[in-house]
């Protein structure tokens, strides 16, 4: 289960997460950053780096944010 970026990233995009990701699987998705689900190794390093707490393990994404699981996957054609 990959990590997923949710709505608080929209308009923030400060890239703190991209600086700590060891596999560089976080990409500019336009209005927000998105994590490639097949490249993420679930290390968790990006979670505390995010100043707006936008990143969750997929199984822990809050109910109101589950559309972002689909958005993350769809961006990469998955
Ligand atoms: S959990 Fe690790 S591998 Fe996945 S996006 Fe975050 S920093 Fe990158
Ligand atoms: S650290 Fe958080 S707000 Fe910044 S780009 Fe990453 S997910 Fe978006």
């Amino acid at each position: 289960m990959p990590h997923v970026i949710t709505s608080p990233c929209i308009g923030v995009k400060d890239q703190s997460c991209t600086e700590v990701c060891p596999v560089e699987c976080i990409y500019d998705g336009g209005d927000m950053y998105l994590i490639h689900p097949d490249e993420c190794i679930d290390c968790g390093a990006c979670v505390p780096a995010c100043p707006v707490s936008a990143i969750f393990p997929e199984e822990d994404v809050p109910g109101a944010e589950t559309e972002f699981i689909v958005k993350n996957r769809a961006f990469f054609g998955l």
Side-chain angles (χ1 to χ4, degrees):
M1 301 290 266
H3 279 53
V4 175
I5 298 179
T6 61
S7 66
C9 179
I10 296 173
V12 179
K13 294 182 66 180
D14 71 305
Q15 302 184 48
S16 298
C17 55
T18 66
E19 292 171 9
V20 299
C21 180
V23 295
E24 299 185 355
C25 67
I26 306 174
Y27 297 87
D28 189 342
D31 59 347
M32 64 185 288
Y33 274 80
L34 296 164
I35 295 171
H36 194 304
D38 290 344
E39 296 178 3
C40 174
I41 60 171
D42 267 343
C43 71
C46 55
V47 174
C50 179
V52 291
S53 301
I55 310 174
F56 298 89
E58 183 173 312
E59 61 270 29
D60 293 337
V61 171
E65 299 280 344
T66 52
E67 66 184 277
F68 287 92
I69 298 173
V70 177
K71 182 174 181 177
N72 270 260
R73 296 190 68 82
F75 179 76
F76 298 104
L78 300 171

Coordinates of all heavy atoms in Angstrom, one line a residue:
M1 N 0.8 -1.2 0.0 CA 0.0 0.0 0.0 C 0.9 1.2 0.0 O 1.7 1.5 0.9 CB -0.9 0.0 1.3 CG -1.8 -1.2 1.4 SD -3.1 -1.2 0.2 CE -4.4 -0.5 1.1
P2 N 0.8 2.1 -1.0 CA 1.7 3.3 -1.1 C 1.2 4.4 -0.2 O 0.1 4.3 0.3 CB 1.5 3.7 -2.6 CG 0.1 3.2 -2.9 CD -0.1 1.9 -2.2
H3 N 2.0 5.4 -0.1 CA 1.6 6.6 0.6 C 0.8 7.5 -0.4 O 1.1 7.4 -1.6 CB 2.8 7.3 1.2 CG 3.2 6.7 2.5 ND1 3.5 5.4 2.7 CD2 3.4 7.3 3.7 CE1 3.8 5.2 3.9 NE2 3.7 6.3 4.6
V4 N -0.1 8.3 0.1 CA -1.0 9.1 -0.8 C -1.0 10.6 -0.3 O -1.1 10.8 0.9 CB -2.4 8.6 -0.7 CG1 -3.4 9.5 -1.5 CG2 -2.4 7.1 -1.3
I5 N -0.9 11.5 -1.2 CA -0.9 12.9 -0.9 C -2.4 13.4 -1.1 O -3.1 13.1 -2.0 CB 0.0 13.8 -1.8 CG1 1.4 13.3 -1.6 CG2 -0.2 15.3 -1.5 CD1 2.5 14.1 -2.4
T6 N -2.9 14.2 -0.1 CA -4.3 14.6 0.0 C -4.4 16.1 -0.2 O -3.4 16.8 -0.4 CB -4.9 14.0 1.2 OG1 -4.3 14.6 2.4 CG2 -4.9 12.5 1.3
S7 N -5.6 16.6 0.0 CA -6.0 18.0 -0.4 C -5.2 19.1 0.3 O -5.0 20.1 -0.4 CB -7.5 18.2 -0.1 OG -7.7 18.2 1.3
P8 N -4.6 18.9 1.5 CA -3.9 20.1 2.0 C -2.7 20.5 1.2 O -2.2 21.6 1.3 CB -3.4 19.6 3.4 CG -4.5 18.6 3.8 CD -4.8 17.9 2.5
C9 N -2.2 19.6 0.3 CA -1.1 20.0 -0.6 C -1.5 21.0 -1.6 O -0.6 21.8 -2.1 CB -0.5 18.7 -1.2 SG 0.9 19.1 -2.4
I10 N -2.7 21.0 -2.0 CA -3.2 21.9 -3.1 C -2.9 23.3 -2.8 O -3.3 23.9 -1.7 CB -4.7 21.7 -3.4 CG1 -5.0 20.3 -3.8 CG2 -5.2 22.7 -4.4 CD1 -6.5 19.9 -4.0
G11 N -2.1 24.0 -3.7 CA -1.8 25.4 -3.5 C -0.6 25.6 -2.6 O -0.1 26.7 -2.5
V12 N -0.1 24.5 -1.9 CA 1.1 24.7 -1.0 C 2.3 24.2 -1.8 O 3.2 25.1 -2.0 CB 0.9 23.9 0.3 CG1 2.1 24.0 1.2 CG2 -0.3 24.3 1.0
K13 N 2.4 23.0 -2.1 CA 3.4 22.5 -3.0 C 4.8 22.9 -2.6 O 5.6 23.4 -3.5 CB 3.1 22.9 -4.5 CG 1.9 22.2 -5.0 CD 1.7 22.6 -6.5 CE 2.8 22.1 -7.4 NZ 2.6 22.5 -8.8
D14 N 5.2 22.9 -1.4 CA 6.5 23.4 -1.0 C 7.6 22.5 -1.3 O 8.8 22.8 -1.1 CB 6.5 23.8 0.5 CG 6.4 22.6 1.3 OD1 5.5 21.7 1.2 OD2 7.3 22.4 2.2
Q15 N 7.3 21.2 -1.7 CA 8.3 20.2 -2.1 C 9.1 19.7 -0.9 O 10.2 19.0 -1.2 CB 9.2 20.8 -3.2 CG 8.5 21.2 -4.4 CD 9.4 21.7 -5.5 OE1 10.4 21.0 -5.8 NE2 9.1 22.8 -6.1
S16 N 8.8 19.9 0.3 CA 9.6 19.3 1.4 C 9.6 17.8 1.3 O 10.6 17.2 1.5 CB 8.9 19.7 2.7 OG 8.9 21.0 2.9
C17 N 8.5 17.2 0.8 CA 8.5 15.7 0.7 C 9.4 15.2 -0.4 O 10.1 14.2 -0.2 CB 7.0 15.3 0.4 SG 6.3 16.1 -1.1
T18 N 9.5 16.0 -1.5 CA 10.3 15.5 -2.6 C 11.8 15.5 -2.2 O 12.6 14.7 -2.7 CB 10.2 16.4 -3.9 OG1 10.7 17.7 -3.6 CG2 8.7 16.5 -4.3
E19 N 12.2 16.4 -1.2 CA 13.6 16.5 -0.8 C 14.0 15.3 0.1 O 15.2 15.0 0.1 CB 13.8 17.8 0.0 CG 13.7 19.0 -0.9 CD 13.7 20.3 -0.2 OE1 13.9 20.3 1.1 OE2 13.4 21.3 -0.8
V20 N 13.0 14.6 0.7 CA 13.4 13.5 1.6 C 13.1 12.1 1.0 O 13.5 11.1 1.6 CB 12.7 13.6 3.0 CG1 13.1 14.9 3.7 CG2 11.2 13.6 2.8
C21 N 12.3 12.1 -0.1 CA 12.0 10.8 -0.6 C 13.2 10.1 -1.2 O 13.8 10.6 -2.1 CB 10.9 10.9 -1.7 SG 10.4 9.3 -2.4
P22 N 13.5 8.9 -0.7 CA 14.8 8.2 -1.2 C 14.7 7.7 -2.6 O 15.7 7.4 -3.2 CB 15.0 7.1 -0.2 CG 13.6 6.8 0.3 CD 12.9 8.1 0.3
V23 N 13.5 7.5 -3.1 CA 13.3 6.9 -4.5 C 12.8 7.9 -5.5 O 12.5 7.6 -6.6 CB 12.5 5.6 -4.5 CG1 13.2 4.6 -3.7 CG2 11.1 5.9 -3.9
E24 N 12.6 9.2 -5.1 CA 12.2 10.2 -6.0 C 10.9 9.9 -6.7 O 10.8 10.0 -8.0 CB 13.3 10.6 -7.0 CG 14.5 11.2 -6.2 CD 15.6 11.7 -7.2 OE1 15.5 11.5 -8.4 OE2 16.6 12.2 -6.6
C25 N 9.9 9.4 -6.0 CA 8.7 9.0 -6.6 C 7.5 10.0 -6.4 O 6.4 9.6 -6.6 CB 8.2 7.6 -6.1 SG 7.7 7.6 -4.3
I26 N 7.9 11.2 -6.0 CA 6.9 12.3 -5.8 C 7.0 13.3 -7.0 O 8.0 13.9 -7.2 CB 7.0 12.9 -4.5 CG1 7.1 11.9 -3.3 CG2 5.9 14.0 -4.2 CD1 7.4 12.5 -2.0
Y27 N 5.9 13.4 -7.7 CA 5.9 14.2 -9.0 C 5.0 15.4 -8.9 O 3.9 15.3 -8.2 CB 5.5 13.3 -10.1 CG 6.5 12.1 -10.4 CD1 6.3 10.9 -9.7 CD2 7.5 12.2 -11.2 CE1 7.1 9.8 -9.9 CE2 8.4 11.2 -11.5 CZ 8.2 10.0 -10.8 OH 9.0 8.9 -11.0
D28 N 5.3 16.4 -9.7 CA 4.5 17.6 -9.8 C 3.2 17.2 -10.6 O 3.3 16.9 -11.8 CB 5.2 18.7 -10.5 CG 4.5 20.0 -10.4 OD1 3.3 20.0 -10.2 OD2 5.1 21.1 -10.6
G29 N 2.1 17.3 -10.0 CA 0.8 16.9 -10.6 C 0.0 18.1 -11.0 O -1.2 17.9 -11.2
G30 N 0.6 19.2 -11.1 CA -0.2 20.4 -11.5 C -0.6 21.2 -10.3 O 0.2 22.0 -9.8
D31 N -1.8 21.0 -9.7 CA -2.2 21.8 -8.6 C -1.7 21.3 -7.2 O -1.8 21.9 -6.2 CB -3.8 21.9 -8.5 CG -4.4 20.6 -8.4 OD1 -3.8 19.5 -8.6 OD2 -5.6 20.5 -8.1
M32 N -1.1 20.1 -7.3 CA -0.5 19.5 -6.1 C 0.6 18.4 -6.5 O 0.7 18.2 -7.7 CB -1.6 18.7 -5.3 CG -2.2 17.6 -6.1 SD -3.6 16.8 -5.2 CE -2.8 16.0 -3.9
Y33 N 1.3 17.9 -5.5 CA 2.2 16.9 -5.8 C 1.5 15.5 -5.6 O 0.6 15.4 -4.9 CB 3.5 17.0 -4.9 CG 4.5 17.9 -5.5 CD1 4.4 19.3 -5.4 CD2 5.6 17.4 -6.2 CE1 5.3 20.1 -6.0 CE2 6.5 18.2 -6.8 CZ 6.3 19.6 -6.7 OH 7.2 20.4 -7.3
L34 N 2.0 14.5 -6.4 CA 1.4 13.2 -6.3 C 2.5 12.1 -6.2 O 3.6 12.3 -6.8 CB 0.5 13.0 -7.6 CG -0.7 13.9 -7.7 CD1 -1.2 13.9 -9.2 CD2 -1.8 13.6 -6.8
I35 N 2.2 11.0 -5.5 CA 3.1 9.9 -5.3 C 2.8 8.8 -6.3 O 1.6 8.3 -6.3 CB 3.0 9.4 -3.8 CG1 3.5 10.5 -2.9 CG2 3.9 8.1 -3.7 CD1 3.3 10.2 -1.4
H36 N 3.8 8.3 -7.0 CA 3.6 7.2 -7.9 C 3.4 5.9 -7.1 O 4.3 5.5 -6.4 CB 4.8 7.0 -8.8 CG 4.6 6.1 -10.0 ND1 4.1 4.8 -9.8 CD2 4.7 6.3 -11.3 CE1 3.9 4.3 -11.0 NE2 4.3 5.2 -12.0
P37 N 2.2 5.3 -7.2 CA 1.9 4.2 -6.3 C 2.8 3.0 -6.5 O 3.0 2.2 -5.5 CB 0.5 3.8 -6.7 CG -0.1 5.1 -7.3 CD 1.1 5.7 -8.0
D38 N 3.3 2.8 -7.7 CA 4.2 1.6 -7.9 C 5.6 1.8 -7.6 O 6.4 0.9 -7.5 CB 4.0 1.1 -9.4 CG 2.7 0.5 -9.7 OD1 1.9 0.2 -8.7 OD2 2.3 0.4 -10.9
E39 N 6.0 3.1 -7.4 CA 7.4 3.4 -7.1 C 7.6 3.7 -5.6 O 8.7 3.5 -5.1 CB 7.8 4.6 -7.9 CG 7.8 4.4 -9.4 CD 8.2 5.7 -10.2 OE1 8.6 6.7 -9.6 OE2 8.2 5.6 -11.4
C40 N 6.6 4.1 -4.9 CA 6.7 4.3 -3.5 C 7.1 3.0 -2.7 O 6.4 2.0 -2.9 CB 5.4 4.9 -3.0 SG 5.3 5.1 -1.2
I41 N 8.1 3.1 -1.9 CA 8.5 1.9 -1.1 C 8.0 2.0 0.3 O 8.4 1.2 1.2 CB 10.1 1.8 -1.1 CG1 10.7 3.1 -0.5 CG2 10.6 1.6 -2.5 CD1 12.2 2.9 -0.2
D42 N 7.1 2.9 0.6 CA 6.4 3.0 1.9 C 7.4 3.2 3.1 O 7.2 2.7 4.2 CB 5.6 1.7 2.2 CG 4.1 1.8 1.7 OD1 3.7 3.0 1.5 OD2 3.5 0.8 1.6
C43 N 8.4 4.0 2.8 CA 9.4 4.2 3.9 C 8.8 5.2 5.0 O 9.3 5.2 6.1 CB 10.7 4.8 3.3 SG 10.5 6.5 2.8
G44 N 7.9 6.1 4.6 CA 7.3 7.0 5.6 C 8.0 8.3 5.8 O 7.6 9.1 6.6
A45 N 9.2 8.4 5.1 CA 10.0 9.6 5.4 C 9.3 10.9 5.0 O 9.5 12.0 5.6 CB 11.3 9.5 4.5
C46 N 8.4 10.9 4.1 CA 7.7 12.1 3.6 C 6.6 12.6 4.6 O 6.3 13.8 4.6 CB 7.1 11.9 2.2 SG 5.9 10.4 2.2
V47 N 6.1 11.7 5.4 CA 5.0 12.1 6.3 C 5.3 13.2 7.3 O 4.7 14.2 7.3 CB 4.4 10.8 7.0 CG1 3.4 11.2 8.0 CG2 3.9 9.8 6.0
P48 N 6.4 13.1 8.1 CA 6.7 14.2 9.0 C 7.3 15.4 8.3 O 7.3 16.5 8.9 CB 7.8 13.5 9.9 CG 8.4 12.4 9.2 CD 7.3 11.9 8.3
A49 N 7.8 15.2 7.0 CA 8.4 16.4 6.3 C 7.3 17.3 5.8 O 7.6 18.5 5.6 CB 9.2 15.8 5.1
C50 N 6.1 16.9 5.7 CA 5.0 17.7 5.1 C 4.5 18.7 6.1 O 4.0 18.3 7.2 CB 3.9 16.9 4.6 SG 2.5 17.9 3.9
P51 N 4.6 20.0 5.9 CA 4.2 21.0 6.9 C 2.7 21.1 7.0 O 2.2 21.7 8.0 CB 4.7 22.3 6.3 CG 4.8 22.1 4.8 CD 5.2 20.6 4.7
V52 N 1.9 20.5 6.1 CA 0.5 20.6 6.3 C -0.2 19.2 6.4 O -1.4 19.1 6.3 CB -0.2 21.3 5.0 CG1 0.2 22.8 5.0 CG2 0.3 20.7 3.7
S53 N 0.6 18.3 6.8 CA 0.2 16.9 7.1 C -0.8 16.3 6.0 O -1.8 15.8 6.3 CB -0.6 16.9 8.4 OG 0.3 17.3 9.5
A54 N -0.3 16.4 4.8 CA -1.1 16.0 3.6 C -0.9 14.6 3.2 O -1.6 14.0 2.4 CB -0.8 16.9 2.4
I55 N 0.1 13.9 3.8 CA 0.5 12.6 3.3 C 0.2 11.5 4.4 O 0.5 11.6 5.5 CB 2.0 12.5 3.0 CG1 2.4 13.7 2.1 CG2 2.4 11.2 2.4 CD1 3.9 13.8 1.9
F56 N -0.5 10.4 3.8 CA -0.9 9.3 4.7 C -0.6 8.0 4.0 O -0.6 7.9 2.8 CB -2.4 9.3 4.9 CG -2.9 10.6 5.6 CD1 -3.3 11.7 4.8 CD2 -3.1 10.6 7.0 CE1 -3.8 12.8 5.5 CE2 -3.6 11.7 7.6 CZ -3.9 12.8 6.8
P57 N -0.3 6.9 4.8 CA -0.3 5.6 4.2 C -1.7 5.4 3.6 O -2.7 5.8 4.2 CB -0.1 4.6 5.3 CG 0.5 5.5 6.4 CD -0.1 6.9 6.2
E58 N -1.8 4.7 2.5 CA -3.1 4.6 1.8 C -4.2 4.1 2.7 O -5.4 4.6 2.7 CB -3.0 3.6 0.6 CG -4.3 3.5 -0.2 CD -4.1 2.7 -1.5 OE1 -3.2 3.0 -2.2 OE2 -5.0 1.8 -1.7
E59 N -3.9 3.1 3.6 CA -4.9 2.6 4.5 C -5.4 3.5 5.6 O -6.4 3.3 6.2 CB -4.4 1.2 5.1 CG -3.2 1.4 6.0 CD -1.9 1.2 5.2 OE1 -1.9 1.5 4.0 OE2 -0.9 0.7 5.8
D60 N -4.6 4.6 5.8 CA -5.0 5.6 6.8 C -5.5 6.9 6.3 O -5.7 7.9 7.0 CB -3.7 5.9 7.7 CG -3.3 4.7 8.5 OD1 -4.2 3.8 8.7 OD2 -2.1 4.6 8.9
V61 N -5.7 7.0 4.9 CA -6.3 8.2 4.4 C -7.7 8.5 5.0 O -8.5 7.6 5.0 CB -6.4 8.1 2.8 CG1 -7.2 9.3 2.3 CG2 -5.0 8.0 2.2
P62 N -7.9 9.7 5.5 CA -9.2 10.0 6.1 C -10.3 9.9 5.1 O -10.2 10.1 3.9 CB -9.0 11.5 6.5 CG -7.6 11.7 6.6 CD -6.9 10.8 5.6
G63 N -11.5 9.5 5.6 CA -12.6 9.2 4.7 C -12.9 10.3 3.7 O -13.2 10.0 2.6
A64 N -12.9 11.5 4.1 CA -13.2 12.6 3.2 C -12.2 12.9 2.2 O -12.4 13.6 1.2 CB -13.4 13.9 4.0
E65 N -11.0 12.2 2.3 CA -9.9 12.4 1.4 C -9.7 11.2 0.4 O -8.7 11.2 -0.3 CB -8.6 12.7 2.2 CG -8.7 13.9 3.1 CD -8.5 15.2 2.3 OE1 -8.0 15.1 1.1 OE2 -8.8 16.3 2.8
T66 N -10.5 10.2 0.5 CA -10.3 9.0 -0.3 C -10.3 9.2 -1.8 O -9.7 8.4 -2.5 CB -11.3 7.8 0.1 OG1 -12.6 8.3 0.0 CG2 -11.1 7.4 1.5
E67 N -10.9 10.2 -2.3 CA -10.9 10.5 -3.7 C -9.4 10.7 -4.2 O -9.1 10.5 -5.4 CB -11.7 11.8 -4.0 CG -11.1 13.0 -3.5 CD -12.0 14.3 -3.7 OE1 -11.9 14.8 -4.8 OE2 -12.7 14.7 -2.8
F68 N -8.5 11.1 -3.3 CA -7.2 11.4 -3.6 C -6.4 10.1 -3.9 O -5.3 10.1 -4.5 CB -6.5 12.3 -2.6 CG -7.0 13.7 -2.8 CD1 -8.0 14.1 -2.0 CD2 -6.4 14.6 -3.7 CE1 -8.5 15.4 -2.2 CE2 -6.9 15.9 -3.8 CZ -7.9 16.3 -3.1
I69 N -6.9 9.0 -3.3 CA -6.2 7.7 -3.7 C -6.4 7.4 -5.2 O -5.5 7.0 -5.9 CB -6.9 6.5 -2.8 CG1 -6.7 6.7 -1.3 CG2 -6.3 5.2 -3.3 CD1 -7.4 5.8 -0.4
V70 N -7.6 7.7 -5.6 CA -7.9 7.5 -7.1 C -7.2 8.5 -7.9 O -6.6 8.2 -8.9 CB -9.4 7.7 -7.3 CG1 -9.7 7.6 -8.8 CG2 -10.2 6.6 -6.5
K71 N -7.1 9.8 -7.4 CA -6.4 10.9 -8.2 C -4.9 10.5 -8.3 O -4.4 10.7 -9.4 CB -6.6 12.2 -7.5 CG -5.9 13.4 -8.2 CD -6.3 14.7 -7.6 CE -5.6 15.8 -8.4 NZ -5.9 17.2 -7.9
N72 N -4.3 10.1 -7.3 CA -2.9 9.7 -7.3 C -2.7 8.6 -8.4 O -1.8 8.7 -9.2 CB -2.4 9.2 -5.9 CG -1.8 10.3 -5.1 OD1 -0.6 10.5 -5.0 ND2 -2.7 11.0 -4.4
R73 N -3.5 7.6 -8.4 CA -3.3 6.5 -9.3 C -3.6 6.9 -10.7 O -2.9 6.5 -11.6 CB -4.3 5.3 -8.9 CG -4.0 4.7 -7.5 CD -4.7 3.4 -7.3 NE -4.3 2.3 -8.2 CZ -3.2 1.6 -8.0 NH1 -2.5 1.7 -6.9 NH2 -2.9 0.7 -8.9
A74 N -4.7 7.7 -10.9 CA -5.1 8.0 -12.2 C -4.1 8.9 -12.9 O -3.9 8.8 -14.1 CB -6.5 8.8 -12.2
F75 N -3.4 9.8 -12.2 CA -2.4 10.6 -12.8 C -1.3 9.8 -13.5 O -0.7 10.3 -14.5 CB -1.8 11.6 -11.7 CG -0.7 12.5 -12.2 CD1 -1.1 13.6 -12.9 CD2 0.6 12.2 -12.0 CE1 -0.1 14.5 -13.4 CE2 1.6 13.1 -12.5 CZ 1.2 14.2 -13.2
F76 N -1.0 8.7 -12.9 CA 0.1 7.8 -13.4 C -0.5 6.7 -14.4 O 0.2 5.8 -14.7 CB 0.9 7.2 -12.3 CG 1.6 8.3 -11.5 CD1 1.1 8.6 -10.2 CD2 2.7 9.0 -11.9 CE1 1.7 9.6 -9.4 CE2 3.3 10.0 -11.2 CZ 2.8 10.3 -9.9
G77 N -1.8 6.9 -14.7 CA -2.4 5.9 -15.6 C -2.6 4.5 -15.0 O -2.7 3.5 -15.7
L78 N -2.8 4.5 -13.7 CA -3.0 3.2 -13.0 C -4.5 3.0 -12.6 O -5.2 4.0 -12.6 CB -2.1 3.1 -11.8 CG -0.6 3.2 -12.1 CD1 0.2 3.3 -10.8 CD2 -0.2 2.0 -12.9
Ligands
LIG1 S1 6.7 6.8 1.7 FE1 8.9 7.0 1.2 S2 9.0 6.2 -0.8 FE2 6.9 6.7 -0.5 S3 6.6 8.8 -1.3 FE3 7.0 8.9 0.9 S4 9.3 9.2 1.1 FE4 8.8 8.5 -1.0
LIG2 S1 5.5 18.4 1.7 FE1 3.2 18.3 1.7 S2 2.5 20.3 1.0 FE2 4.7 20.1 0.4 S3 4.6 19.2 -1.7 FE3 4.8 17.5 -0.3 S4 2.7 16.8 0.1 FE4 2.6 18.9 -0.8

